[in-house]
Amino acid sequence: MIVVGGGVVGLTTAVVLAERGRRVRIWTRDPVERTTSAVAGALWWPYHIEPVAAARAWALRSLEVYERLAGRPGETGVRLVDGAMGETDPADVESWAAGRLPVLRRATAREYGAGTAVWTRLPLIDMAVHLPWLRERLLRAGGSVEERVVSDLAEADAPVVVNCTGLGARELVGDASVRPVRGQLVVVENPGIDTWLVSTAPDGAMAYLFPQPGRLLLGGTAEDDVWALDPDPAVAEAIVRRCAALRPEVAGARILEHRVGLRPVRPAVRLERTELPDGRLLVHHYGHGGAGVTVAWGCAEEAAALAASP
Ligand SMILES: Cc1cc2nc3c(=O)[nH]c(=O)nc-3n(C[C@H](O)[C@H](O)[C@H](O)COP(=O)(O)OP(=O)(O)OC[C@H]3O[C@@H](n4cnc5c(N)ncnc54)[C@H](O)[C@@H]3O)c2cc1C
């Protein structure tokens, strides 16, 4: 079978399929380092993804996998890290996380300041390590990855085709309901922060700090229908300012890199089995918004079940 798309969704789906004994080829327009997935922070949290109930279920299944992968952080890029999720109530989280999140409690004033926040331990994934690790895991399971632009899914010469093209699906299958939500990040030298923090101001402005090995990721933005991939210096400055208001030591940190990515947001993730015009099986699997990493394994298992022969 052919999986079109080699971001976190395509790679994870391909790994699940290959490890179930299928012969899997990935066709991808971009090398994994240049996908949206490589831009992600990446904290496990079902943010900006619909439908909410399904996303939470996929996220909790993925959590089990990430917890196991966190046993080998250097190899997989997955670590379990404590931090504060602002403007969130522990009881609300507990209503869906159902005892699955460790050390879940209200953050103290020292941890979060005046607002209400949840303190918990979540997977924090270093995509610079995790994506190449997924690719290697796929190759070890007998799969392959080929750089190739697809202009029609019927080009894929396999009995089963899985469409994991993210925002690319907009053009590839003419789905105007998948739209970009632009996110910008600033990567700085870490001044010694070892917990993550996410905060949303009353006007909706986000600030988040994700410590990754050797660097600190500062975010963020969420701009609907904006396609610009160049980092905006004024936006970067505002991100650093908002983060420094929460953690003053960030103010003078040396900037290492600016990043921009377009979240593939859709009114609902498209996870659906259909047919190509010639009757071959086609599974659509895209539109994971701001949480593709968070839900990757739960979704991949469902996509793999849909891709199983009738
Ligand atoms: C700034 C930012 C921060 C984020 N933070 C988080 C976070 O903390 N946690 C989280 O869970 N998620 C986060 N996300 C969201 C996450 O990055 C996405 O949900 C996820 O990357 C989507 O994965 P994907 O594989 O569907 O898409 P992509 O990574 O975009 O991959 C799509 C693939 O399809 C290929 N493709 C597209 N069109 C074609 C074509 N015509 N032919 C061949 N190949 C094609 C591309 O080359 C690529 O390989 C963040 C996103 C951004 C932008």
Side-chain angles (χ1 to χ4, degrees):
M1 58 177 63
I2 291 178
V3 174
V4 184
V8 70
V9 171
L11 277 169
T12 309
T13 303
V15 165
V16 170
L17 285 163
E19 292 182 353
R20 289 182 183 178
R22 308 298 297 253
R23 220 187 117 245
V24 185
R25 290 181 283 160
I26 285 186
W27 285 4
T28 174
R29 181 186 61 205
D30 305 289
V32 74
E33 298 76 12
R34 288 216 300 273
T35 59
T36 305
S37 302
V39 176
L43 185 71
W44 180 96
W45 191 257
Y47 162 74
H48 219 322
I49 181 168
E50 296 283 346
V52 170
R56 287 173 173 170
W58 294 324
L60 289 173
R61 169 63 192 129
S62 305
L63 179 64
E64 284 173 37
V65 179
Y66 288 130
E67 283 171 340
R68 276 203 309 277
L69 298 180
R72 293 172 285 137
E75 189 189 328
T76 64
V78 182
R79 292 179 304 139
L80 299 176
V81 181
D82 286 7
M85 181 63 66
E87 294 67 56
T88 310
D89 191 83
D92 290 344
V93 178
E94 199 46 33
S95 71
W96 60 269
R100 293 292 319 287
L101 298 181
V103 295
L104 184 73
R105 59 168 170 79
R106 193 175 286 267
T108 63
R110 198 170 156 270
E111 288 161 348
Y112 192 67
T116 300
V118 163
W119 184 266
T120 188
R121 184 172 301 157
L122 300 180
L124 183 60
I125 297 135
D126 182 358
M127 298 306 279
V129 174
H130 189 64
L131 291 169
W133 174 81
L134 279 173
R135 184 176 50 201
E136 283 312 305
R137 183 163 161 177
L138 173 65
L139 300 183
R140 274 202 309 276
S144 64
V145 180
E146 200 180 313
E147 268 174 49
R148 175 164 178 158
V149 179
V150 175
S151 54
D152 182 340
L153 288 170
E155 286 167 29
D157 58 339
V160 181
V161 180
V162 187
N163 172 20
C164 301
T165 51
L167 192 57
R170 191 179 165 96
E171 205 177 321
L172 182 59
V173 297
D175 182 353
S177 75
V178 55
R179 295 160 50 200
V181 175
R182 182 183 186 276
Q184 184 165 330
L185 302 177
V186 182
V187 185
V188 298
E189 266 180 7
N190 191 339
I193 290 171
D194 58 7
T195 55
W196 53 266
L197 191 155
V198 178
S199 167
T200 311
D203 67 357
M206 271 192 300
Y208 55 82
L209 299 93
F210 295 163
Q212 292 288 4
R215 63 206 191 282
L216 178 67
L217 273 58
L218 307 179
T221 56
E223 298 172 90
D224 291 352
D225 298 313
V226 177
W227 288 89
L229 279 170
D230 286 337
D232 180 332
V235 169
E237 218 175 281
I239 288 172
V240 175
R241 204 178 326 114
R242 289 200 298 275
C243 290
L246 297 163
R247 290 280 184 271
E249 60 269 49
V250 162
R254 191 163 74 90
I255 293 177
L256 302 175
E257 190 194 338
H258 297 275
R259 285 192 200 166
V260 175
L262 307 178
R263 301 175 182 90
V265 170
R266 198 172 181 274
V269 171
R270 189 170 187 195
L271 185 44
E272 172 187 325
R273 178 182 160 123
T274 174
E275 279 181 1
L276 286 162
D278 62 6
R280 286 179 294 143
L281 180 58
L282 169 63
V283 175
H284 289 294
H285 186 203
Y286 63 85
H288 301 74
V293 185
T294 304
V295 299
W297 291 91
C299 268
E301 288 173 357
E302 228 170 89
L306 293 177
S309 293

